[in-house]
Amino acid sequence: MPRRLGAIYCFQRPCKIYASPVSKLLKKIAANENDVEEDEEDDTGFDCITSACRLARSPRFSNIVDGKAKLAYLCNEKGFDTHGGCMALNVAEWNVSQGTVVQQSDRTVVSVVLLPGEQGPSEVISGIEFPGLWFNQLPIQCFTPDLKHILTTSEWGCSTRIISISLENGSISAIKFNLLDRNSDEGEPSQRFLGFTEEGCAIVTQSEANCPLVLGCLQPDFADSSSSLHPSHLIASMPPFSCTSAGGGAPCFKPGMGYSYQIISVEPQHGDIKVPVGGVLLLPEPLANEKPPLIVVPHGGPHT
């Protein structure tokens, strides 16, 4: 297959992170056309700062302290063939005045996980241990205000969870909280990190089955706290909404018919790697002696 550019949906395509000075370009943009000298030189070239990685994306800078900032990015040295895959987290010191990575400061904080449980916390969420970093972009505000942790949202089994990553030793912990203050028997809730307030509180969301999205807040000490359930308070509840689609055939679920669902976990019968694969099984309510049809919606990219 010929090489294709762009990594909006196809994250297996080679991509790297480059650095280039833009001070003269910004000066030209800000100045009036009459003020720009014709013989003024352009900015110099660019440097690749992730040359050792086949895949690298999502650079994020921390606040500047003593002329330096921390640079975090996602990478995978070997890459993968599927549209998405597990990524590593690298952090480096960035010299602001020179616009370069400080030599020998680039290090891997979280490595690529091949099998769940190889590293990270031993706790089980959605039926599996820590599966690695499964997301495409770091939050814009991923560094905690004290620059000791990175906070992000990652897929973990059938749910998305907020995790805290220590920049000192790479230890990972799942941030546990419950904005709805209720016990659900319908699977793990999904929670997301949105950003920090000026006081250092974390703004988060939570969603569960049969419950609209809610917005909440965690207190500033959540990253260092060893509490099994972090204090949180509800900010707002989102109103429920519905979606409809029109088609030529009869609807699979007729109005008033109702349906149920089950969260299932199965292991592949083939291959040497036995990792649980989560799924959602939708079932209509039984109809007399009729068996409902089974609808399978496979998905694949250009390589399938």
Side-chain angles (χ1 to χ4, degrees), residues 176-181 204 206 216-219 229-234:
K176 296 183 178 180
F177 60 92
N178 192 350
L179 293 174
L180 296 174
D181 194 24
V204 297
Q206 178 173 321
C217 181
L218 304 180
Q219 296 304 310
L229 192 65
H230 297 279
S232 60
H233 66 268
L234 185 67

Side-chain angles (χ1 to χ4, degrees), residues 15-18 48-61 70-77 87-94 101 105-110 133 135-139 142-143 150 165 167:
C15 52
K16 300 181 184 296
I17 300 174
Y18 296 84
C48 179
I49 60 178
T50 59
S51 58
C53 299
R54 177 179 172 84
L55 306 177
R57 60 174 176 266
S58 189
R60 298 289 185 263
F61 287 101
K70 294 184 182 297
L71 168 65
Y73 61 91
L74 301 174
C75 62
N76 190 306
E77 182 177 347
M87 301 294 286
L89 173 67
N90 275 32
V91 175
E93 298 293 329
W94 183 263
V101 172
S105 68
D106 197 327
R107 59 190 177 92
T108 300
V109 178
V110 180
L133 302 180
F135 54 92
N136 302 319
Q137 296 289 331
L138 287 163
C142 62
F143 290 93
I150 281 181
I165 303 171
L167 296 181

Side-chain angles (χ1 to χ4, degrees), residues 255-268:
M257 175 179 173
Y259 68 94
S260 63
Y261 71 92
Q262 299 175 12
I263 297 179
I264 60 176
S265 179
V266 297
E267 290 188 358

Side-chain angles (χ1 to χ4, degrees), residues 115 267-275:
L115 291 175
E267 290 188 358
Q269 300 294 324
H270 60 281
D272 298 328
I273 299 177
K274 303 298 182 182
V275 178

